[in-house]
Amino acid sequence: MKTCRPLSYLLLLCLPLLLSGCYSFSGINYDASKYNSISITNFSNPSGQGPSNLQQFVTEDFKDYFQRNTNLRVLPQAGDFQIEGSIMSYSFSPAAIQRSTTTAGSNVGLDQAGANRLTIVVQINFTDTKNPTNNFDQSFSGFADFPPTLDINQINQSQIRQITERIIYSVFTKTVANW
C-alpha cells in the first residue's frame, strides 16, 4: 500500500514560488532581481509636538520594520524604494464625551471626556525609482485612547510606539506588502 506524504505535496506546490524571482505586492510588482534596497531618511517633526526623541524612534522603527519583513537592504540614501516622512501632528484630545448627572439624578450636568485620544499623523513621500507610477505622497494616522485621568506627559514611549506601529503597518501595506 502507498502512503500519502503531505509534506512532499506541499513542497511540490511551493516549488514554483521558491524558484520564482518575482513577488506580487499590492499595487507594486516587486521583482527581486530589480529591487534590492530601500532608503528611509530621518523623519522631520515640523509640528514641534511630542517627545523630543519622537522623530528618532519613528525613523528607527520604520527601518527595523522593513528590515524584519522584507529582504530589502536598508540604505541611508538612494535605495530602489525611498521613504521620506514628516510627523505632521501629535495631538491629545478628549474622546468619548459623556454627560455627568447631578446628585438629584437629573440629566443636567457637565460634558466630560470618558477617554483622551492621542492621534499621530505622519506624511509619507514614497518613491519607486524603477517605476514612478507607484510613487505617492500621503498622510497616515494612528490613535489610541487613554483614561481621562492620564495626562499627555504621562504617556510613555511604548504606548506611543503602539500607535506608530499601526502607521508603519499601513505604510508597509501601501508600499510593498501582500507578497
Side-chain angles (χ1 to χ4, degrees):
M1 241 184 183
K2 293 183 180 179
T3 59
C4 180
R5 297 183 184 214
L7 289 176
S8 298
Y9 292 122
L10 183 61
L11 181 61
L12 284 173
L13 288 173
C14 293
L15 191 58
L17 293 174
L18 294 172
L19 295 176
S20 169
C22 255
Y23 301 94
S24 175
F25 291 100
S26 66
I28 297 175
N29 255 336
Y30 175 79
D31 183 346
S33 65
K34 209 166 132 181
Y35 294 97
N36 299 312
S37 60
I38 185 167
S39 59
I40 300 171
T41 61
N42 290 332
F43 278 60
S44 63
N45 187 0
S47 75
Q49 301 164 331
S52 59
N53 62 347
L54 180 63
Q55 58 201 35
Q56 177 186 353
F57 76 74
V58 168
T59 301
E60 291 307 314
D61 287 354
F62 261 88
K63 289 177 182 178
D64 290 345
Y65 193 89
F66 276 84
Q67 203 162 27
R68 279 192 324 269
N69 293 291
T70 69
N71 292 327
L72 299 169
R73 285 177 304 148
V74 177
L75 301 176
Q77 60 186 6
D80 297 327
F81 296 129
Q82 300 173 3
I83 293 178
E84 296 176 16
S86 299
I87 300 162
M88 303 308 291
S89 175
Y90 181 95
S91 61
F92 198 67
S93 59
I97 303 298
Q98 300 173 343
R99 180 162 293 257
S100 64
T101 58
T102 62
T103 55
S106 70
N107 205 11
V108 178
L110 299 173
D111 289 338
Q112 296 178 328
N116 286 319
R117 176 169 291 170
L118 174 60
T119 304
I120 300 173
V121 179
V122 176
Q123 186 72 28
I124 298 294
N125 184 316
F126 175 76
T127 304
D128 178 342
T129 61
K130 309 289 184 182
N131 187 357
T133 60
N134 294 325
N135 296 354
F136 65 85
D137 190 13
Q138 179 180 333
S139 65
F140 295 83
S141 65
F143 68 89
D145 291 338
F146 298 95
T149 56
L150 190 66
D151 182 78
I152 189 169
N153 297 318
Q154 295 172 313
I155 297 173
N156 64 42
Q157 192 167 323
S158 67
Q159 292 169 311
I160 296 168
R161 277 198 154 120
Q162 291 174 357
I163 300 168
T164 59
E165 284 174 8
R166 291 183 198 129
I167 295 170
I168 293 168
Y169 179 76
S170 296
V171 173
F172 182 81
T173 302
K174 173 88 176 178
T175 56
V176 297
N178 297 331
W179 297 65

